[in-house]
């Protein structure tokens, strides 16, 4: 959720920290703040409400410089969007500053205790509780590290905390509790970094160490020392990240979302790269730790995820059940662990997540682990918590950083990664013949080219449709079978970036309620490629037209019959039915993007949202 950056080294920490926050702003943009230390100027705190640009403007008026600094971009949890609630927060002495990503679940209890001890609070945040608690123990311990460890021991919930103290100004401390906040440590030459996400420090280093639950890192110019919060030494080798920093920048595109939509042909190639042996007609998933025997032993898969990734899980259910003949149940991760799931020892958990940091998804993985059920994670962020928690191995998307809050390229890559997994299962279980597997492989290999064709042929039409419908107050998306989740996803894309109320529905269910919404003002987006339930979709379109709804159909290239039934038709190339969702998604993304633009919305940073949801 919130973004955290810290720096110690010879550069001006303000530039490194603010630059890092710019890369992390997708994690939260309610307010931003930095604390920079310099021997002469002392501790310089600057905080601003709203987007990071407000902080940058403030820094132009009131510059800050120094060799050590921490910064934070906030997604509000406790307390409104005000400067007092912006991080960093100070302890009572003003010597210690703290930033946090996560939630202190017992903050009211701790706050009450601290108030009784005479501490005064200036904000409504749970983070100020941490600042005072650390300050309180600092007066007893005389050193930041034991003070932070004692404070962390009293917190409940999941947090990443970064602290700086003017009495130990060459060092930043970072501590982590639970799953709610990732902490990445960056290794440089005579300089070191800490951040909540890789893109923040990618300009400076690709050698990274991930801090685990209940660990603490002491970061200074000379190095990074990791211990557990109990003080035991931790040895962990850095990993080298191959991401290109340019991939995390907007380039010539107006928005990250636009760039990421256009990147889909490349992303679809990358998710396939190295995983298909065309000659042998086989699939190889390099990080999968489950061998053929283990794959044959799976009787049931629980696919779990949130938001767009949950839609990918719904699509993946169709794919796995059809190709590998394994039963798949799909759960919202936020519901999964609280429903007391009975998993069984022949089950597999399939977690799907772009960030690999979504706290509910991680909790679902923990639940599986606690029942002795292995998990596999379809995940984009390399080295993320989901990737590390997946004892059955990660299946990386290799889609590169996705910065736009609305997920696009990660979604279509998730479907393809799920497809590869389904084929790998089918290969082990013998549910498809070698010839059938080759047919699927061929279709997968043709998919990136078809995605490029969709972008090429539908972009301007989507722009025209957006012009026509951007004043709508509601929209209905209808699809059936494997395209029903795409109706959900199309509606989610529209509502999250344009703030138009949109609903996705299985088309056959429309007559059981939503049909009452239809009038001449309602755009109804009907996904109707030629497939086994095409005729049913045509009937549903007729039902919408009979009530004067405005039908935008998405169908197979050359389907004039469909075009004669709809007000507008977007054509996509033919592919295998289970791969249609990938191609259908693209015009829906482009349409939502243009509608949002025309409504003057902030496409990359829609209100109230954040890219990585690390709180419950
Ligand atoms: O990082 P994850 O894939 O786990 O994120 C899950 C959802 O928070 C995410 O897909 C969200 O729904 C996006 N805003 C959708 O565009």
């Amino acid at each position: 959720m919130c973004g955290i950056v810290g720096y110690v080294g010879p550069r001006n920490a303000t530039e490194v920290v603010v630059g890092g926050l710019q890369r992390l702003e997708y994690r939260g943009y309610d307010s931003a703040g930095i604390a920079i230390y310099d021997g002469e100027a002392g501790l310089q705190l600057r905080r601003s409400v709203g987007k990071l640009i407000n902080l940058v403007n403030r820094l132009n008026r009131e510059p800050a410089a120094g060799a050590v600094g921490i910064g934070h971009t906030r997604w509000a949890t406790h307390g409104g969007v005000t400067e007092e609630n912006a991080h960093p927060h100070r302890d009572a002495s003003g010597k210690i500053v703290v930033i946090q990503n996560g939630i202190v679940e017992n903050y009211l209890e701790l706050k009450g205790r601290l108030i009784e001890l005479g501490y005064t609070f200036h904000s409504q945040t749970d983070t100020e509780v941490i600042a005072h608690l650390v300050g309180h123990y600092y007066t007893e311990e005389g050193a930041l590290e034991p003070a932070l460890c004692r404070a962390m021991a009293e917190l409940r919930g999941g947090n990443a905390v970064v602290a700086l103290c003017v009495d130990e100004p060459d060092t930043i401390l970072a501590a982590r509790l639970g799953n709610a906040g990732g902490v990445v440590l960056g290794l440089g030459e005579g300089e070191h970094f800490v951040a909540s996400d890789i893109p923040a420090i990618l300009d400076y280093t690709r050698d990274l160490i991930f801090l685990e639950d209940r660990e603490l890192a002491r970061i200074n110019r000379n190095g990074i020392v990791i211990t557990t919060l109990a003080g035991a030494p931790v040895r962990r080798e850095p990993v080298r990240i191959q991401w290109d920093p340019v991939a995390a920048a907007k380039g010539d595109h107006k928005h990250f979302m636009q760039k990421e939509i256009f990147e889909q042909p490349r992303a679809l190639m990358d998710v396939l790269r190295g995983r298909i042996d065309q000659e042998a007609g086989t699939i190889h998933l390099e990080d999968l730790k489950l061998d053929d025997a283990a794959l044959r032993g799976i009787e049931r898969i629980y696919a779990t995820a949130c938001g767009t990734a949950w839609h990918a899980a719904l699509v993946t259910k169709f794919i796995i059940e059809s190709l590998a003949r394994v039963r798949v149940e799909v759960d919202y991760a936020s519901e999964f662990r609280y429903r007391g799931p009975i998993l069984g020892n022949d089950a597999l958990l399939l977690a799907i997540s772009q960030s690999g940091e979504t706290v509910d998804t991680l909790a679902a993985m923990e639940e599986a682990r606690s029942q002795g059920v292995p998990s596999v994670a379809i995940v984009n962020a390399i080295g993320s918590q989901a990737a590390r928690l997946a004892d059955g191995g990660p299946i990386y998307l290799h889609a590169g950083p996705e910065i736009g809050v609305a997920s696009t390229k990660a979604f279509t890559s998730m479907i393809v990664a799920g497809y590869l997994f389904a084929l790998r299962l089918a290969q082990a279980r013998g549910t498809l013949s070698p010839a059938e597997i080759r047919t699927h492989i061929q279709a997968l290999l043709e998919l990136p080219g078809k995605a490029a064709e969709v972008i090429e042929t539908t972009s301007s039409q989507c722009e025209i449709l957006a012009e026509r419908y951007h004043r709508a107050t509601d929209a209905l998306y209808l699809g059936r079978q494997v395209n029903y989740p795409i109706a959900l996803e199309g509606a989610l894309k529209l509502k999250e970036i344009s703030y138009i109320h949109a609903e996705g529905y299985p088309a056959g269910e429309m007559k059981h309620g939503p049909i009452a919404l239809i009038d001449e003002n309602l755009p109804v987006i009907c996904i109707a490629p030629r497939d086994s339930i095409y005729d049913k979709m045509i009937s549903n379109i007729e039902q919408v037209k009979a009530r004067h709804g405005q039908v935008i159909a998405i169908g197979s290239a050359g389907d004039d019959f469909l075009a004669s039934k709809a007000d507008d038709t977007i054509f996509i190339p033919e592919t295998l039915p289970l791969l249609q969702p990938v191609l259908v998604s693209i015009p829906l993304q482009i349409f939502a993007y243009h509608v949002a633009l025309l409504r003057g919305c902030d496409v990359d940073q829609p209100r109230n949202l954040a890219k990585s949801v690390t709180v419950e």
Side-chain angles (χ1 to χ4, degrees):
M1 240 53 221
C2 304
I4 283 176
V5 188
Y7 173 76
V8 194
R11 304 172 201 259
N12 180 0
T14 307
E15 280 165 27
V16 178
V17 169
V18 172
L21 291 179
Q22 267 156 354
R23 294 278 165 85
L24 291 189
E25 204 181 3
Y26 59 83
R27 293 183 71 105
Y29 28 84
D30 288 331
S31 62
I34 58 168
I36 304 292
Y37 181 80
D38 174 72
E40 281 178 17
L43 194 65
Q44 306 146 82
L45 200 70
R46 307 280 185 272
R47 303 185 299 183
S48 289
V49 171
K51 297 216 165 167
L52 193 63
I53 187 68
N54 298 340
L55 179 67
V56 171
N57 291 338
R58 179 148 194 189
L59 283 164
N60 287 337
R61 295 192 305 273
E62 300 167 50
V68 185
I70 62 176
H72 185 268
T73 174
R74 177 173 186 243
W75 187 84
T77 58
H78 298 64
V81 178
T82 62
E83 191 172 319
E84 294 72 42
N85 288 337
H87 300 211
H89 289 283
R90 265 181 292 207
D91 78 323
S93 73
K95 286 181 176 181
I96 297 169
V97 277
V98 165
I99 54 182
Q100 189 220 179
N101 174 24
I103 286 184
V104 181
E105 286 172 1
N106 56 335
Y107 90 104
L108 280 177
E109 174 199 326
L110 294 172
K111 188 170 179 173
R113 233 177 66 203
L114 287 160
I115 289 172
E116 270 177 29
L117 288 169
Y119 289 93
T120 306
F121 281 78
H122 305 282
S123 78
Q124 291 84 50
T125 65
D126 52 348
T127 305
E128 196 183 356
V129 168
I130 306 177
H132 287 309
L133 206 55
V134 175
H136 179 72
Y137 289 129
Y138 185 80
T139 54
E140 291 178 14
E141 300 283 346
L144 188 60
E145 188 171 324
L148 180 59
C149 288
R150 282 180 70 182
M152 294 298 287
E154 295 196 26
L155 307 185
R156 273 208 318 270
N159 334 78
V161 177
V162 173
L164 175 64
C165 176
V166 292
D167 290 340
E168 304 170 21
D170 55 350
T171 303
I172 296 172
L173 295 186
R176 195 184 139 192
L177 206 59
N179 278 332
V183 178
V184 185
L185 306 164
L187 303 154
E189 289 283 319
E191 58 181 356
H192 292 92
F193 310 81
V194 56
S196 43
D197 219 345
I198 300 169
I201 51 180
L202 212 53
D203 275 341
Y204 305 101
T205 178
R206 293 184 188 193
D207 295 322
L208 308 174
I209 297 177
F210 298 95
L211 202 66
E212 299 288 354
D213 182 15
R214 294 183 185 278
E215 288 181 353
L216 175 135
R218 168 174 278 274
I219 305 147
N220 62 33
R221 273 185 186 224
N222 303 326
I224 296 180
V225 177
I226 304 177
T227 60
T228 64
L229 287 174
V234 173
R235 279 191 175 280
R236 186 165 303 128
E237 287 303 309
V239 289
R240 174 151 279 223
I241 296 293
Q242 300 302 340
W243 285 4
D244 175 0
V246 178
K250 223 183 298 181
D252 291 337
H253 293 274
K254 209 163 161 205
H255 298 99
F256 279 110
M257 184 182 178
Q258 184 192 39
K259 172 177 180 261
E260 289 154 7
I261 290 171
F262 285 15
E263 275 175 356
Q264 285 176 108
R266 206 258 316 130
L268 296 176
M269 257 189 275
D270 287 346
V271 67
L272 296 173
R273 198 180 302 283
R275 288 166 168 174
I276 290 177
D277 183 336
Q278 263 182 288
E279 249 173 59
T282 54
I283 304 295
H284 168 69
L285 296 170
E286 65 285 4
D287 296 315
L288 193 69
K289 295 186 191 125
L290 306 175
D291 60 15
D292 280 3
L295 294 172
R296 276 195 293 272
I298 298 168
E299 289 301 321
R300 184 190 304 262
I301 293 176
Y302 294 88
T304 185
C306 300
T308 285
W310 182 73
H311 299 153
L314 290 174
V315 176
T316 304
K317 169 186 167 73
F318 281 92
I319 298 170
I320 293 178
E321 290 192 341
S322 167
L323 305 186
R325 309 303 297 158
V326 184
R327 270 173 296 167
V328 181
E329 275 184 36
V330 182
D331 268 273
Y332 282 116
S334 52
E335 293 291 317
F336 182 76
R337 68 168 154 163
Y338 294 117
R339 76 169 167 90
I342 307 156
L343 303 182
N345 52 12
D346 49 7
L348 175 81
L349 186 97
L350 180 65
I352 306 184
S353 174
Q354 188 287 128
S355 62
E357 303 289 344
T358 301
V359 72
D360 289 320
T361 307
L362 297 174
M365 295 177 80
E366 300 272 20
E367 174 66 36
R369 176 174 283 192
S370 75
Q371 295 194 33
V373 168
S375 55
V376 165
I378 292 180
V379 62
N380 193 32
I382 311 285
S384 57
Q385 299 190 68
R388 286 176 283 139
L389 259 177
D391 36 19
I395 301 174
Y396 281 120
L397 302 181
H398 295 303
E402 189 182 68
I403 309 290
V405 166
S407 188
T408 52
K409 65 175 178 176
F411 177 62
T412 47
S413 300
M414 282 167 184
I415 296 173
V416 173
Y419 212 101
L420 287 171
F421 182 55
L423 286 177
R424 178 67 189 86
L425 277 166
Q427 198 173 289
R429 300 166 74 90
T431 51
L432 292 177
S433 69
E436 285 168 324
I437 293 185
R438 280 183 193 280
T439 305
H440 289 283
I441 285 178
Q442 188 53 34
L444 282 171
L445 292 172
E446 287 169 9
L447 202 61
K450 290 185 178 177
E453 189 182 328
V454 172
I455 291 172
E456 175 80 26
T457 56
T458 68
S459 287
S460 47
Q461 188 185 6
C462 290
E463 204 172 339
I464 293 165
L465 289 170
E467 184 68 54
R468 192 173 314 152
Y469 292 111
H470 73 277
R471 289 193 188 84
T473 53
D474 305 89
L476 188 59
Y477 287 70
L478 301 176
R480 279 173 175 262
Q481 297 288 298
V482 74
N483 284 311
Y484 156 55
I486 304 306
L488 295 176
E489 174 60 8
L492 178 64
K493 281 292 88 80
L494 188 71
K495 75 182 123 188
E496 71 179 333
I497 61 170
S498 77
Y499 319 143
I500 292 177
H501 168 246
E503 278 192 51
Y505 240 81
E509 275 293 300
M510 175 187 65
K511 55 191 173 295
H512 299 288
I515 200 163
L517 297 170
I518 297 175
D519 64 16
E520 63 283 5
N521 298 316
L522 187 77
V524 184
I525 294 88
C526 300
I527 306 171
R530 277 197 211 96
D531 56 15
S532 59
I533 29 91
Y534 172 78
D535 292 343
K536 310 283 174 206
M537 270 310 297
I538 294 290
S539 304
N540 297 136
I541 290 172
E542 304 265 21
Q543 291 155 8
V544 174
K545 280 317 301 170
R547 275 110 193 139
H548 310 294
Q550 303 294 312
V551 171
I552 303 170
I554 304 186
S556 305
D559 188 350
D560 296 335
F561 181 67
L562 176 67
S564 73
K565 301 283 171 196
D567 294 277
D568 291 280
T569 311
I570 297 171
F571 291 119
I572 56 157
E574 298 266 9
T575 181
L576 292 181
L578 291 171
L579 284 172
Q580 280 163 352
V582 172
L583 301 181
V584 172
S585 300
I586 296 172
L588 298 182
Q589 297 164 352
I590 300 173
F591 174 69
Y593 171 77
H594 285 291
V595 169
L597 278 191
L598 288 163
R599 290 168 68 92
C601 299
D602 188 336
V603 174
D604 280 338
Q605 294 174 349
R607 69 184 178 206
N608 306 336
L609 287 171
K611 185 70 179 164
S612 306
V613 183
T614 56
V615 294
E616 282 199 66

